[in-house]
Amino acid sequence: MTTAVTTPAAQPAKSRSTLQIAMRRLRRHKAAMASLTVIAALILMAIFAPLIAPYDPNAQDLEGIYSPPSSQHLLGQDSLGRDMLSRIIYGSRVSLIVGFTVAIFSVGLGTIMGLLSGFLGGLVDTAISRFIELMLSIPELPLLLTLSALLLASDAPAIVALRQTPNASVFIIIGIFTFFGWMGTARLVRGEVLKLKNLEYVDAARALGARNARIMFRHLVPNVVAVIIVNGTLAVGGAILGEAALSFLGFGIQPPVSTWGNMLSNANEVVLEHPYLAFWPGLAILITVLSFNFLGDGLRDAFDPKSRL
Amino acid sequence: MKKTFALTAFLLGAALAGPANNSLVVGTSQEPPNIYDPWNTNNLAITSEVNGYMGAALIGLDDDGEPYADIATRVPSIANGDYKIVKDAKGDVIRNSVTYTIRKDAKWSDGTPIKIADFQFWLRLMNDDRVPVPDRSPWNRAKITTADSDTFTITYEPPYLFADQTSPGLAPSHVMGAAWNAFDAKTKNEKDAKVTNEEWKKFISAYTTARNLPKVVAGPFKPTAWRSGNSLTMTRNANYWGHPKDQDKYVQTITYRFIPNTNTLKVNILSGQLDAVSAVGLTFDQGVDLAKTERGKYKTYFVPGAVWEHIDVNTRGQRSKDLDLDDPRMRQALLYSIDRDALTKALFQGRQAVSNSWVNPISKLYKKDVNDYNLNVARAKQLFTALGWTPGSDGILQKGGKKLSLNFSTTAGNTIRERVQQILQAQWKAVGVQVNIQNYPASVIFGPDFLSKGETGKWDLAMYAWTGNPIFEEGNLFKGEGIPTAANGYAGQNNPGWNNAEFNRLQKQAQVEFNQADRIKLFDRMQAIWNSEVPALPLYYRVNVYTKVPGLANYTFSAYTLYPSWNAAKIGWISKGVAEEYKQK
Amino acid sequence: MGTYALRRALQMIPLLLVISLVIFGLTALQPGDPVDQLVFGNSNITPEDIARLRAAYGLDQPWITRYFFWLQQAVTGNFGYSQDFGIPALEYVFQNRLPNTLLLTVPALVISTLIAVPLGIFSAVRQYSVMDYVLTFFAFVAVSAPVFWVGALALYFFAISLPQLTGGLLSLPPGGLGGDVPPEAGWLAVTLDKLKYLLLPLMVLMLREIAVTMRFMRANMLETLTQDYVRTARAKGLADRRVLYKHALRNAVTPIVTIMGLSIPGLFGGAVITETVFSWPGMGKAILDALVTKDFNVVMVCLMMLALLTVVFQLLTDLAYALVDPRIRYS
């Protein structure tokens, strides 16, 4: 193995071992490991929500509207008398789906764009780079809100059809965050690719007649895997926080789909009367996002040979 | 001294409100974009409320809906000959007219007498195409003729049903006249409407904004300071003729604090920073919560309002035929299967009573003894079965393989409506009606492509509200002519698309029926028809929530007056010797 | 260098034009327009009224026509009136809103940098110490919590709980711009009054900024400390303290200056969530409101100002790099 590292064909093997080394290093990162445990627990909670939740999260109890925490309802009841604990448990489903999907799509798209831009160069690079430059020059939030409002209300047949499903706003939010989320990754990947592109093993591969696509995916992707994994992890938390912020401004995922974000923003209207209603979903978001951020940080350290672990 | 004061203020949040200096501090959640625009080119509630302090009118309406004379010397009536109705040979009313005499002491705040020219100026601009007033009814059919220097007659042809309960506005022609002439000269030949509109804004903003406060006003208070994003202060206008005799006893300064966040507004009430809250401010939930923690520091009022919440049922298009929504029995069944009493009890402590008519219960035209559609699941099931809808294996009603699945829309972000919606969804589910919630921002719901385009099947049920002064009830909302179509430019208000020949005929008749007793009879029949057909599912009339501290007199409003500013001249503190003339109902 | 700067400056013009087109188009394409709000709920309105109003607001024309009209006016310095406020859009943005926002964002940036930089250095120098862990944990919590949740909790604590606990002695107002004391009370009273209202939003806004800057500073400092020249200096026996301050610190602080430079446009954009939670009438809230009500002229003034600042400061930063770093040469 060690001798093979120097030959071009064996490059992927090296990166696999980079991954292995990183994982081994990650195991020594206490905060990251704790976070990983929390994340695993959250995922299990989302999957087994029906078994864990004490009540149907949508069961209304008009007599129990705004009841404070009690032995029957550990976290209290909301504006329709629904059990807060069950809603928090079920709410994890949409929040995590949004987080993971956005992370996968935006980092995936960012990687592809970064590879194309960095590897092909020329007109492609100019087009992608200029587009990113344009997007970064327009204030992000207004653009986000306008797009979200536009899609939530658009007359285009595809969007109208999409809106017939109750989960339409989930797809729209995922689409929007993906659209805004890929640029950071693209820039990082492009930078990495530019560094690698002229290294001898890529030249060698090309000399051996490898096609562009093959070079990109066999030789370059493994080398940007650190960037992808770290950014992907951080993007999960970012998307969950972003959805909450959009919900607060009234442009997020719409009821009846409930996420921690829109539970929190609805409760925010009555925060002075019933503060606990806002406290729980906020805490759930905090714990989840915190875990992903710690994990992302741990991964970054793990991939960084300079850091001491 | 100043420093001590500053520090105390910093630590304690000094409350400068109240009877101590005979002032009044009112909190509101909205800031008017401009004030005292005589043509009301923005029709926001807060603007109307604030204008109430500074405006005067020939005739006003009090909390009971009774007219009183303000600029005019007396209330016009048929009995005193000031109100005339002219009929043709067939006995149909062809025009009506009202004569007003301006009080001798009526002056603008700069001391200039109010003249007929001020009303003529107002009417002329009201009907000028360059002035962007939302609508001109009934002023586009009104003409002013002068009898002498103080007396004039306004004639409506075709006649206007409420001529004796309204009156033309006025604008200070001695102040605005020259600028208007300049505007007129500049834009007379302008082809581009946008350029004209810019010029108009230039003209009107010279008299209505924070930097250019109204130069003169007619009402009991005049604006003295407007700090954008913060507060508007008004002081008593010495030239107003209608002040109470011992006017020094009454409130001298009124400050509106603009507090856009209703939570903040609430904390300000709790900490005693505010004497009262505007009609535009608190949410219902906050009112309920505030009512629990009064401790004698303030009192919370729930005032029956003029806003009617309802659910339109779309009766147009193929989709509604397939779902039988165009059949009254289906709509009755939908109404029988929901428990509106339980809903208003759970959400509003029963403070917003269930309605069964579009007419406001306080209106004289309101018909009490209509079917109340209390929850009756058995009756609902009977109706569904009669229409051929039977429960499928999943419990959802089906007919010919099609499920009874309805799209229910309302304005996204309106928490109360979203809660009502979810409660109703659960109640309908219990009888086998599947309801899909599809909410959109208000700009979409009220935009050109939604409610008015019922025939495309964009919505089945839509929850929103109508606001209307109970006095000016014309039955317009459900007339057949009001169905929005391409032919009328989608201008009508009858979004359900309900078209009932008898109702249409009665409505037309009522519109020209100048005899109150006969109108009541026509409206009785109209409401009976409407109630049996239920083109919209009536929910409730909203209440307005506000608070005020004890001892504040004549700060009241009703569904007729809408804003506490209607009786501005008489607002005062009981501790200063002011007598309570109107009690908040 | 001069030609490079000039070329870059000229490139900004097409970029800004494209941006203005995108913003205008996106705003215009949204359903609903200002006239709908006037029309709705008014049972007296006629089709003629609607046509007249739409013409008056220019809404009867396709958006691209309106865009070019806007552009033509904007070039001559006329940015039109605010639809919602009836005053010139420039006056509304620059006099009514921008000062409020700067009052909030500038102190937030300055104070949080002053706090965060020493904390970041401390954290780096004492890497893996208890304090480092505590600060790191704080920073992660601060960036992981929804801002409006933190705001709501702060509001509840300072405006409701604290006065209850202290019998009304201590409290912070839950939002707004101040104005409890009249201007006659003197500058001190007015300033303190303003400060009282500023404190809560400032604290909430700073929380996140401190966390981000501190982490950034820590990472930079760690990076510098591992650089060869620092190691060499240490190896040569230079006192730790001197190495730290003379060499490492100077190199570590430079990027902070860049970051601050790049965050200047953000200062003008305001903080929409914090402003919303605390009813602070700033730019963030103004942009949000204008987008919702489609107050085109205000949207355009706000967003174009921000876009302009962004590209200008991007350019300035690049140029500053070139001046500072002899390795970078532009031709």
PDB file of all heavy atoms in Angstrom, chain C residues 179-207:
ATOM      1  N   GLY C 179     -38.278  57.216  23.726  1.00  0.00           N
ATOM      2  CA  GLY C 179     -39.188  58.344  23.627  1.00  0.00           C
ATOM      3  C   GLY C 179     -40.055  58.497  24.865  1.00  0.00           C
ATOM      4  O   GLY C 179     -41.079  59.147  24.837  1.00  0.00           O
ATOM      5  N   ASP C 180     -39.626  57.861  25.980  1.00  0.00           N
ATOM      6  CA  ASP C 180     -40.372  58.033  27.222  1.00  0.00           C
ATOM      7  C   ASP C 180     -40.208  59.445  27.771  1.00  0.00           C
ATOM      8  O   ASP C 180     -41.083  59.967  28.437  1.00  0.00           O
ATOM      9  CB  ASP C 180     -39.864  57.055  28.293  1.00  0.00           C
ATOM     10  CG  ASP C 180     -40.260  55.632  27.974  1.00  0.00           C
ATOM     11  OD1 ASP C 180     -41.157  55.471  27.127  1.00  0.00           O
ATOM     12  OD2 ASP C 180     -39.693  54.707  28.564  1.00  0.00           O
ATOM     13  N   VAL C 181     -39.046  60.016  27.501  1.00  0.00           N
ATOM     14  CA  VAL C 181     -38.811  61.365  28.022  1.00  0.00           C
ATOM     15  C   VAL C 181     -38.899  62.358  26.864  1.00  0.00           C
ATOM     16  O   VAL C 181     -38.455  62.075  25.761  1.00  0.00           O
ATOM     17  CB  VAL C 181     -37.437  61.473  28.714  1.00  0.00           C
ATOM     18  CG1 VAL C 181     -37.405  60.620  29.959  1.00  0.00           C
ATOM     19  CG2 VAL C 181     -36.329  61.081  27.779  1.00  0.00           C
ATOM     20  N   PRO C 182     -39.473  63.504  27.144  1.00  0.00           N
ATOM     21  CA  PRO C 182     -39.588  64.513  26.084  1.00  0.00           C
ATOM     22  C   PRO C 182     -38.230  65.146  25.824  1.00  0.00           C
ATOM     23  O   PRO C 182     -37.353  65.120  26.695  1.00  0.00           O
ATOM     24  CB  PRO C 182     -40.549  65.530  26.689  1.00  0.00           C
ATOM     25  CG  PRO C 182     -40.416  65.378  28.163  1.00  0.00           C
ATOM     26  CD  PRO C 182     -40.043  63.950  28.414  1.00  0.00           C
ATOM     27  N   PRO C 183     -38.027  65.709  24.631  1.00  0.00           N
ATOM     28  CA  PRO C 183     -36.733  66.324  24.291  1.00  0.00           C
ATOM     29  C   PRO C 183     -36.337  67.416  25.296  1.00  0.00           C
ATOM     30  O   PRO C 183     -35.144  67.682  25.489  1.00  0.00           O
ATOM     31  CB  PRO C 183     -36.984  66.923  22.907  1.00  0.00           C
ATOM     32  CG  PRO C 183     -38.164  66.213  22.371  1.00  0.00           C
ATOM     33  CD  PRO C 183     -38.973  65.774  23.530  1.00  0.00           C
ATOM     34  N   GLU C 184     -37.321  68.021  25.982  1.00  0.00           N
ATOM     35  CA  GLU C 184     -37.009  69.110  26.919  1.00  0.00           C
ATOM     36  C   GLU C 184     -36.235  68.612  28.133  1.00  0.00           C
ATOM     37  O   GLU C 184     -35.659  69.388  28.869  1.00  0.00           O
ATOM     38  CB  GLU C 184     -38.296  69.791  27.422  1.00  0.00           C
ATOM     39  CG  GLU C 184     -39.205  70.321  26.355  1.00  0.00           C
ATOM     40  CD  GLU C 184     -40.176  69.250  25.860  1.00  0.00           C
ATOM     41  OE1 GLU C 184     -41.162  68.974  26.535  1.00  0.00           O
ATOM     42  OE2 GLU C 184     -39.900  68.702  24.776  1.00  0.00           O
ATOM     43  N   ALA C 185     -36.247  67.285  28.384  1.00  0.00           N
ATOM     44  CA  ALA C 185     -35.619  66.760  29.596  1.00  0.00           C
ATOM     45  C   ALA C 185     -34.095  66.858  29.543  1.00  0.00           C
ATOM     46  O   ALA C 185     -33.431  66.553  30.520  1.00  0.00           O
ATOM     47  CB  ALA C 185     -36.050  65.320  29.814  1.00  0.00           C
ATOM     48  N   GLY C 186     -33.542  67.266  28.418  1.00  0.00           N
ATOM     49  CA  GLY C 186     -32.095  67.419  28.332  1.00  0.00           C
ATOM     50  C   GLY C 186     -31.461  66.242  27.620  1.00  0.00           C
ATOM     51  O   GLY C 186     -32.047  65.158  27.540  1.00  0.00           O
ATOM     52  N   TRP C 187     -30.253  66.485  27.116  1.00  0.00           N
ATOM     53  CA  TRP C 187     -29.616  65.463  26.284  1.00  0.00           C
ATOM     54  C   TRP C 187     -29.305  64.195  27.051  1.00  0.00           C
ATOM     55  O   TRP C 187     -29.418  63.101  26.538  1.00  0.00           O
ATOM     56  CB  TRP C 187     -28.347  66.013  25.637  1.00  0.00           C
ATOM     57  CG  TRP C 187     -27.260  66.319  26.631  1.00  0.00           C
ATOM     58  CD1 TRP C 187     -27.044  67.494  27.275  1.00  0.00           C
ATOM     59  CD2 TRP C 187     -26.270  65.399  27.124  1.00  0.00           C
ATOM     60  NE1 TRP C 187     -25.998  67.385  28.130  1.00  0.00           N
ATOM     61  CE2 TRP C 187     -25.487  66.102  28.065  1.00  0.00           C
ATOM     62  CE3 TRP C 187     -25.972  64.070  26.866  1.00  0.00           C
ATOM     63  CZ2 TRP C 187     -24.438  65.519  28.755  1.00  0.00           C
ATOM     64  CZ3 TRP C 187     -24.915  63.476  27.548  1.00  0.00           C
ATOM     65  CH2 TRP C 187     -24.153  64.209  28.483  1.00  0.00           C
ATOM     66  N   LEU C 188     -28.955  64.340  28.308  1.00  0.00           N
ATOM     67  CA  LEU C 188     -28.584  63.172  29.097  1.00  0.00           C
ATOM     68  C   LEU C 188     -29.777  62.249  29.251  1.00  0.00           C
ATOM     69  O   LEU C 188     -29.685  61.033  29.047  1.00  0.00           O
ATOM     70  CB  LEU C 188     -28.047  63.607  30.461  1.00  0.00           C
ATOM     71  CG  LEU C 188     -27.522  62.462  31.328  1.00  0.00           C
ATOM     72  CD1 LEU C 188     -26.294  61.815  30.708  1.00  0.00           C
ATOM     73  CD2 LEU C 188     -27.220  62.943  32.731  1.00  0.00           C
ATOM     74  N   ALA C 189     -30.897  62.830  29.596  1.00  0.00           N
ATOM     75  CA  ALA C 189     -32.104  62.030  29.778  1.00  0.00           C
ATOM     76  C   ALA C 189     -32.492  61.351  28.485  1.00  0.00           C
ATOM     77  O   ALA C 189     -32.831  60.162  28.454  1.00  0.00           O
ATOM     78  CB  ALA C 189     -33.244  62.920  30.271  1.00  0.00           C
ATOM     79  N   VAL C 190     -32.418  62.108  27.400  1.00  0.00           N
ATOM     80  CA  VAL C 190     -32.808  61.553  26.107  1.00  0.00           C
ATOM     81  C   VAL C 190     -31.868  60.423  25.712  1.00  0.00           C
ATOM     82  O   VAL C 190     -32.290  59.362  25.252  1.00  0.00           O
ATOM     83  CB  VAL C 190     -32.843  62.664  25.037  1.00  0.00           C
ATOM     84  CG1 VAL C 190     -33.075  62.065  23.654  1.00  0.00           C
ATOM     85  CG2 VAL C 190     -33.930  63.675  25.365  1.00  0.00           C
ATOM     86  N   THR C 191     -30.555  60.635  25.920  1.00  0.00           N
ATOM     87  CA  THR C 191     -29.584  59.608  25.562  1.00  0.00           C
ATOM     88  C   THR C 191     -29.785  58.356  26.394  1.00  0.00           C
ATOM     89  O   THR C 191     -29.774  57.231  25.878  1.00  0.00           O
ATOM     90  CB  THR C 191     -28.154  60.136  25.770  1.00  0.00           C
ATOM     91  OG1 THR C 191     -28.067  61.419  25.179  1.00  0.00           O
ATOM     92  CG2 THR C 191     -27.135  59.212  25.140  1.00  0.00           C
ATOM     93  N   LEU C 192     -29.951  58.551  27.713  1.00  0.00           N
ATOM     94  CA  LEU C 192     -30.142  57.389  28.573  1.00  0.00           C
ATOM     95  C   LEU C 192     -31.408  56.643  28.185  1.00  0.00           C
ATOM     96  O   LEU C 192     -31.452  55.413  28.183  1.00  0.00           O
ATOM     97  CB  LEU C 192     -30.218  57.829  30.043  1.00  0.00           C
ATOM     98  CG  LEU C 192     -28.877  58.195  30.674  1.00  0.00           C
ATOM     99  CD1 LEU C 192     -29.080  58.656  32.114  1.00  0.00           C
ATOM    100  CD2 LEU C 192     -27.927  57.015  30.638  1.00  0.00           C
ATOM    101  N   ASP C 193     -32.424  57.400  27.847  1.00  0.00           N
ATOM    102  CA  ASP C 193     -33.685  56.792  27.437  1.00  0.00           C
ATOM    103  C   ASP C 193     -33.477  55.927  26.199  1.00  0.00           C
ATOM    104  O   ASP C 193     -33.930  54.790  26.131  1.00  0.00           O
ATOM    105  CB  ASP C 193     -34.704  57.905  27.169  1.00  0.00           C
ATOM    106  CG  ASP C 193     -35.990  57.360  26.595  1.00  0.00           C
ATOM    107  OD1 ASP C 193     -36.663  56.604  27.316  1.00  0.00           O
ATOM    108  OD2 ASP C 193     -36.304  57.680  25.439  1.00  0.00           O
ATOM    109  N   LYS C 194     -32.753  56.480  25.269  1.00  0.00           N
ATOM    110  CA  LYS C 194     -32.465  55.762  24.033  1.00  0.00           C
ATOM    111  C   LYS C 194     -31.643  54.501  24.332  1.00  0.00           C
ATOM    112  O   LYS C 194     -31.899  53.420  23.801  1.00  0.00           O
ATOM    113  CB  LYS C 194     -31.673  56.676  23.101  1.00  0.00           C
ATOM    114  CG  LYS C 194     -31.675  56.232  21.684  1.00  0.00           C
ATOM    115  CD  LYS C 194     -32.374  57.284  20.839  1.00  0.00           C
ATOM    116  CE  LYS C 194     -32.743  56.816  19.483  1.00  0.00           C
ATOM    117  NZ  LYS C 194     -33.705  57.663  18.840  1.00  0.00           N
ATOM    118  N   LEU C 195     -30.655  54.689  25.192  1.00  0.00           N
ATOM    119  CA  LEU C 195     -29.755  53.605  25.550  1.00  0.00           C
ATOM    120  C   LEU C 195     -30.522  52.438  26.163  1.00  0.00           C
ATOM    121  O   LEU C 195     -30.267  51.276  25.868  1.00  0.00           O
ATOM    122  CB  LEU C 195     -28.723  54.135  26.552  1.00  0.00           C
ATOM    123  CG  LEU C 195     -27.551  53.211  26.869  1.00  0.00           C
ATOM    124  CD1 LEU C 195     -26.739  52.979  25.618  1.00  0.00           C
ATOM    125  CD2 LEU C 195     -26.688  53.818  27.955  1.00  0.00           C
ATOM    126  N   LYS C 196     -31.488  52.790  27.000  1.00  0.00           N
ATOM    127  CA  LYS C 196     -32.291  51.786  27.675  1.00  0.00           C
ATOM    128  C   LYS C 196     -32.996  50.901  26.650  1.00  0.00           C
ATOM    129  O   LYS C 196     -33.103  49.692  26.817  1.00  0.00           O
ATOM    130  CB  LYS C 196     -33.300  52.525  28.550  1.00  0.00           C
ATOM    131  CG  LYS C 196     -34.105  51.666  29.454  1.00  0.00           C
ATOM    132  CD  LYS C 196     -34.892  52.524  30.432  1.00  0.00           C
ATOM    133  CE  LYS C 196     -35.961  53.309  29.723  1.00  0.00           C
ATOM    134  NZ  LYS C 196     -36.844  54.039  30.633  1.00  0.00           N
ATOM    135  N   TYR C 197     -33.470  51.525  25.581  1.00  0.00           N
ATOM    136  CA  TYR C 197     -34.169  50.771  24.555  1.00  0.00           C
ATOM    137  C   TYR C 197     -33.207  50.003  23.654  1.00  0.00           C
ATOM    138  O   TYR C 197     -33.555  49.005  23.062  1.00  0.00           O
ATOM    139  CB  TYR C 197     -35.041  51.702  23.710  1.00  0.00           C
ATOM    140  CG  TYR C 197     -36.332  52.053  24.381  1.00  0.00           C
ATOM    141  CD1 TYR C 197     -36.395  53.066  25.311  1.00  0.00           C
ATOM    142  CD2 TYR C 197     -37.491  51.332  24.096  1.00  0.00           C
ATOM    143  CE1 TYR C 197     -37.579  53.375  25.944  1.00  0.00           C
ATOM    144  CE2 TYR C 197     -38.681  51.629  24.715  1.00  0.00           C
ATOM    145  CZ  TYR C 197     -38.725  52.655  25.641  1.00  0.00           C
ATOM    146  OH  TYR C 197     -39.901  52.945  26.266  1.00  0.00           O
ATOM    147  N   LEU C 198     -31.992  50.534  23.573  1.00  0.00           N
ATOM    148  CA  LEU C 198     -31.002  49.951  22.679  1.00  0.00           C
ATOM    149  C   LEU C 198     -30.400  48.675  23.269  1.00  0.00           C
ATOM    150  O   LEU C 198     -30.002  47.771  22.546  1.00  0.00           O
ATOM    151  CB  LEU C 198     -29.905  50.991  22.416  1.00  0.00           C
ATOM    152  CG  LEU C 198     -28.858  50.705  21.351  1.00  0.00           C
ATOM    153  CD1 LEU C 198     -29.523  50.508  20.008  1.00  0.00           C
ATOM    154  CD2 LEU C 198     -27.869  51.854  21.284  1.00  0.00           C
ATOM    155  N   LEU C 199     -30.344  48.626  24.607  1.00  0.00           N
ATOM    156  CA  LEU C 199     -29.587  47.558  25.268  1.00  0.00           C
ATOM    157  C   LEU C 199     -29.977  46.150  24.850  1.00  0.00           C
ATOM    158  O   LEU C 199     -29.129  45.353  24.472  1.00  0.00           O
ATOM    159  CB  LEU C 199     -29.723  47.698  26.794  1.00  0.00           C
ATOM    160  CG  LEU C 199     -28.667  48.571  27.460  1.00  0.00           C
ATOM    161  CD1 LEU C 199     -28.919  48.673  28.953  1.00  0.00           C
ATOM    162  CD2 LEU C 199     -27.272  47.999  27.205  1.00  0.00           C
ATOM    163  N   LEU C 200     -31.263  45.841  24.902  1.00  0.00           N
ATOM    164  CA  LEU C 200     -31.678  44.467  24.606  1.00  0.00           C
ATOM    165  C   LEU C 200     -31.345  44.042  23.174  1.00  0.00           C
ATOM    166  O   LEU C 200     -30.684  43.024  22.991  1.00  0.00           O
ATOM    167  CB  LEU C 200     -33.172  44.295  24.870  1.00  0.00           C
ATOM    168  CG  LEU C 200     -33.580  43.706  26.220  1.00  0.00           C
ATOM    169  CD1 LEU C 200     -35.081  43.508  26.272  1.00  0.00           C
ATOM    170  CD2 LEU C 200     -32.874  42.391  26.468  1.00  0.00           C
ATOM    171  N   PRO C 201     -31.802  44.809  22.165  1.00  0.00           N
ATOM    172  CA  PRO C 201     -31.443  44.378  20.809  1.00  0.00           C
ATOM    173  C   PRO C 201     -29.940  44.322  20.603  1.00  0.00           C
ATOM    174  O   PRO C 201     -29.428  43.426  19.924  1.00  0.00           O
ATOM    175  CB  PRO C 201     -32.075  45.443  19.905  1.00  0.00           C
ATOM    176  CG  PRO C 201     -32.576  46.521  20.777  1.00  0.00           C
ATOM    177  CD  PRO C 201     -32.697  45.965  22.154  1.00  0.00           C
ATOM    178  N   LEU C 202     -29.213  45.236  21.235  1.00  0.00           N
ATOM    179  CA  LEU C 202     -27.760  45.258  21.086  1.00  0.00           C
ATOM    180  C   LEU C 202     -27.152  43.977  21.654  1.00  0.00           C
ATOM    181  O   LEU C 202     -26.314  43.339  21.017  1.00  0.00           O
ATOM    182  CB  LEU C 202     -27.218  46.487  21.820  1.00  0.00           C
ATOM    183  CG  LEU C 202     -25.816  46.936  21.481  1.00  0.00           C
ATOM    184  CD1 LEU C 202     -25.721  47.300  20.016  1.00  0.00           C
ATOM    185  CD2 LEU C 202     -25.408  48.124  22.338  1.00  0.00           C
ATOM    186  N   MET C 203     -27.609  43.591  22.827  1.00  0.00           N
ATOM    187  CA  MET C 203     -27.076  42.380  23.454  1.00  0.00           C
ATOM    188  C   MET C 203     -27.335  41.158  22.583  1.00  0.00           C
ATOM    189  O   MET C 203     -26.464  40.322  22.371  1.00  0.00           O
ATOM    190  CB  MET C 203     -27.718  42.179  24.831  1.00  0.00           C
ATOM    191  CG  MET C 203     -27.168  43.106  25.878  1.00  0.00           C
ATOM    192  SD  MET C 203     -27.635  42.708  27.575  1.00  0.00           S
ATOM    193  CE  MET C 203     -29.311  42.231  27.494  1.00  0.00           C
ATOM    194  N   VAL C 204     -28.557  41.059  22.093  1.00  0.00           N
ATOM    195  CA  VAL C 204     -28.915  39.887  21.292  1.00  0.00           C
ATOM    196  C   VAL C 204     -28.101  39.844  20.000  1.00  0.00           C
ATOM    197  O   VAL C 204     -27.616  38.799  19.585  1.00  0.00           O
ATOM    198  CB  VAL C 204     -30.427  39.892  21.003  1.00  0.00           C
ATOM    199  CG1 VAL C 204     -30.794  38.835  19.977  1.00  0.00           C
ATOM    200  CG2 VAL C 204     -31.201  39.685  22.283  1.00  0.00           C
ATOM    201  N   LEU C 205     -27.941  41.028  19.410  1.00  0.00           N
ATOM    202  CA  LEU C 205     -27.203  41.101  18.151  1.00  0.00           C
ATOM    203  C   LEU C 205     -25.728  40.762  18.360  1.00  0.00           C
ATOM    204  O   LEU C 205     -25.098  40.086  17.553  1.00  0.00           O
ATOM    205  CB  LEU C 205     -27.349  42.510  17.581  1.00  0.00           C
ATOM    206  CG  LEU C 205     -26.986  42.710  16.128  1.00  0.00           C
ATOM    207  CD1 LEU C 205     -27.835  41.809  15.248  1.00  0.00           C
ATOM    208  CD2 LEU C 205     -27.229  44.166  15.731  1.00  0.00           C
ATOM    209  N   MET C 206     -25.192  41.222  19.490  1.00  0.00           N
ATOM    210  CA  MET C 206     -23.758  41.044  19.748  1.00  0.00           C
ATOM    211  C   MET C 206     -23.397  39.608  20.077  1.00  0.00           C
ATOM    212  O   MET C 206     -22.290  39.163  19.792  1.00  0.00           O
ATOM    213  CB  MET C 206     -23.310  41.957  20.888  1.00  0.00           C
ATOM    214  CG  MET C 206     -22.965  43.354  20.410  1.00  0.00           C
ATOM    215  SD  MET C 206     -22.724  44.509  21.765  1.00  0.00           S
ATOM    216  CE  MET C 206     -21.996  43.497  23.003  1.00  0.00           C
ATOM    217  N   LEU C 207     -24.339  38.913  20.678  1.00  0.00           N
ATOM    218  CA  LEU C 207     -24.074  37.553  21.131  1.00  0.00           C
ATOM    219  C   LEU C 207     -23.456  36.720  20.007  1.00  0.00           C
ATOM    220  O   LEU C 207     -22.414  36.078  20.157  1.00  0.00           O
ATOM    221  CB  LEU C 207     -25.390  36.923  21.590  1.00  0.00           C
ATOM    222  CG  LEU C 207     -25.280  35.736  22.535  1.00  0.00           C
ATOM    223  CD1 LEU C 207     -24.611  36.169  23.821  1.00  0.00           C
ATOM    224  CD2 LEU C 207     -26.654  35.160  22.799  1.00  0.00           C
TER     225      LEU C 207
END
